[in-house]
Amino acid sequence: MQVSSRSYRHEEDFLAVMSFLRETYAETGSLHNWLPPRFENSARGMAQGTRVWEILDGVQGPRILAAATPEAKLIYFIQVHPDHSYLVDEVLEWIEGHCSTQRAEPGELRLSVVALEGSAAREAALQRRGFERGTRYGIQRVRDTREPTPDCGAPEGFEVRSVRVQDLEEIARGIRVVFGHGEWFTEEVLEQTARASFYHEDLDLVAVDPNGKIASFCTFRLDAPSGVVELEPMGTLPEYGRLGLAKALLCEGFRRLERHGPRLLYIDGAADNPAANSLYEATGFTERHDYYHWNKTL
């Protein structure tokens, strides 16, 4: 059967791509494709630059085999079913051609394809097409969900609880402070996130100080069909650092996750500093993978 490609149409294709990502993870346990929570979080906003490769099955209809997913105009990720790894070259060829059309004026374009370390097939395809590995893009941390939860509670006077609707504006301010997202990250952004299928009220947590002010926050994004959980976002306001609040939030989240039977728990944008690394090691996020930019000048 012939494989064809076309532009992604969010309303029609979202569930099919989610099924594709769930299927590839269930079959292989590989982390080289995006996991469902990450795609759901960005699919609508990046729909215009996304492309899918599919095969027409006379019984089940079209089936997604690969996708090109942008983070920004010249930064792409690729998702490919492992049984169809030959498509990597075709996906890269399309990304190069598509990005070349984004040239607003004469001159060079620097294209980046981000890949998680350890996929020999993808790295070989990138090298064949003239990409060179560059700087590290980010870090993925994974926790074995079978590990016992550390015995950890909130410091005296602090409380860990679920997020309430009236908290959203304060959390948005906190995220802007911790991550420097700027004024675009608002209460409305969090309201939109709360409408996603991965959102579960009991897995959206804050730690509040004795005066009720939010000091730390974290959200466990659970894709129930796959059992995949992404920890995003997680942060502590600077004035509350080194009190053990992040560890208390994580441990409470682990306890709450048990009733959902998660299969995988990961952080896709893990920090890399002594305090963060100490927290990850102490709470079981001991498996680490690095993402790298693979760059090519067009």
Side-chain angles (χ1 to χ4, degrees), residues 159-171 187 190-191 199 201 204-206 208 212 214:
E159 177 192 3
V160 173
R161 61 167 173 80
S162 298
V163 168
R164 301 165 183 164
V165 173
Q166 57 267 35
D167 295 329
L168 296 184
E169 184 177 352
E170 187 177 355
I171 294 172
E187 177 182 358
L190 292 177
E191 289 173 347
Y199 183 82
E201 290 184 6
D204 195 10
L205 305 175
V206 290
V208 297
I214 292 174

Side-chain angles (χ1 to χ4, degrees), residues 141-162:
R141 286 274 190 165
V142 179
R143 184 181 194 272
D144 188 336
T145 57
R146 297 167 297 182
E147 286 292 315
T149 298
D151 184 14
C152 176
E156 184 176 355
F158 288 81
E159 177 192 3
V160 173
R161 61 167 173 80
S162 298

Side-chain angles (χ1 to χ4, degrees), residues 40 207 224 226:
E40 181 171 10
S226 64

Side-chain angles (χ1 to χ4, degrees), residues 110-151:
R110 190 168 184 264
L111 169 63
S112 173
V113 173
V114 179
L116 195 67
E117 63 181 347
S119 174
R122 294 192 187 193
E123 293 176 3
L126 286 159
Q127 290 172 337
R128 281 196 302 272
R129 298 200 62 84
F131 286 83
E132 296 183 352
R133 196 174 91 162
T135 58
R136 189 171 63 199
Y137 162 88
I139 300 168
Q140 183 185 84
R141 286 274 190 165
V142 179
R143 184 181 194 272
D144 188 336
T145 57
R146 297 167 297 182
E147 286 292 315
T149 298
D151 184 14

Side-chain angles (χ1 to χ4, degrees), residues 178-193:
V178 173
F179 300 110
H181 280 328
E183 292 305 311
W184 67 268
F185 198 99
T186 63
E187 177 182 358
E188 288 70 29
V189 173
L190 292 177
E191 289 173 347
Q192 182 176 351
T193 299

Side-chain angles (χ1 to χ4, degrees), residues 180-252:
H181 280 328
E183 292 305 311
W184 67 268
F185 198 99
T186 63
E187 177 182 358
E188 288 70 29
V189 173
L190 292 177
E191 289 173 347
Q192 182 176 351
T193 299
R195 292 193 289 272
S197 69
F198 60 59
Y199 183 82
H200 296 69
E201 290 184 6
D202 65 318
L203 301 177
D204 195 10
L205 305 175
V206 290
V208 297
D209 72 7
N211 296 315
K213 181 182 176 184
I214 292 174
S216 190
F217 50 85
C218 74
T219 306
F220 293 82
R221 298 175 173 180
L222 167 64
D223 179 60
S226 64
V228 170
V229 184
E230 179 183 27
L231 180 57
E232 165 66 20
M234 176 178 69
T236 299
L237 278 295
E239 61 267 35
Y240 295 99
R242 300 187 180 277
L243 297 178
L245 294 173
K247 186 176 181 180
L249 279 175
L250 288 177
C251 291
E252 177 61 21

